[in-house]
Amino acid sequence: SLYPAERSDQGRSRKVDDETIMAIVRMKREKPALPVADLIKELQKFEEAAVTAIFQGSGGIFRKANHLARGSLIAAAAEQSQTVNVDHVRLAASEIF
């Protein structure tokens, strides 16, 4: 009814690591109309190794990282994959740069 449900994470740490916070802030700047909950869902589409590969491949330049991430998403979608992995990033890098 109108009462809130019991929390399943009660008693556990809810701290978000600094890297995730910074990724959310960057994405919020790029997509200001998108709610933070949706930004977090987008971040979960990338495997950790893929995020590292995008950062390394872009040299830390946001514009390049954005192009590489977009290309990686396209490569993953072409394979009908739900997550982006390092192979998708490599394919995107070979197409973009």
Side-chain angles (χ1 to χ4, degrees), residues 3-97:
Y3 290 106
E6 290 291 318
R7 292 184 51 150
S8 62
D9 64 347
Q10 194 169 12
R12 287 186 250 148
S13 174
R14 296 175 52 202
K15 183 171 174 22
V16 178
D17 62 277
D18 292 338
E19 186 176 330
T20 303
I21 291 170
M22 293 308 298
I24 292 170
V25 168
R26 283 192 301 271
M27 289 180 72
K28 188 66 176 170
R29 287 182 184 149
E30 293 172 8
K31 303 175 183 184
L34 201 60
V36 172
D38 291 342
L39 293 174
I40 292 170
K41 287 178 187 172
E42 278 197 35
L43 284 174
Q44 293 172 342
K45 292 179 184 176
F46 289 85
E47 293 179 0
E48 184 139 350
V51 174
T52 301
I54 289 170
F55 178 76
Q56 290 173 343
S58 68
I61 299 170
F62 292 136
R63 180 178 48 79
K64 288 183 178 180
N66 189 29
H67 289 301
L68 197 50
R70 184 179 299 124
S72 301
L73 280 168
I74 292 169
E79 292 182 359
Q80 297 180 350
S81 175
Q82 295 295 316
T83 57
V84 176
N85 61 36
V86 176
D87 293 330
H88 298 131
V89 177
R90 286 188 188 123
L91 181 61
S94 69
E95 296 289 324
I96 293 172
F97 301 113

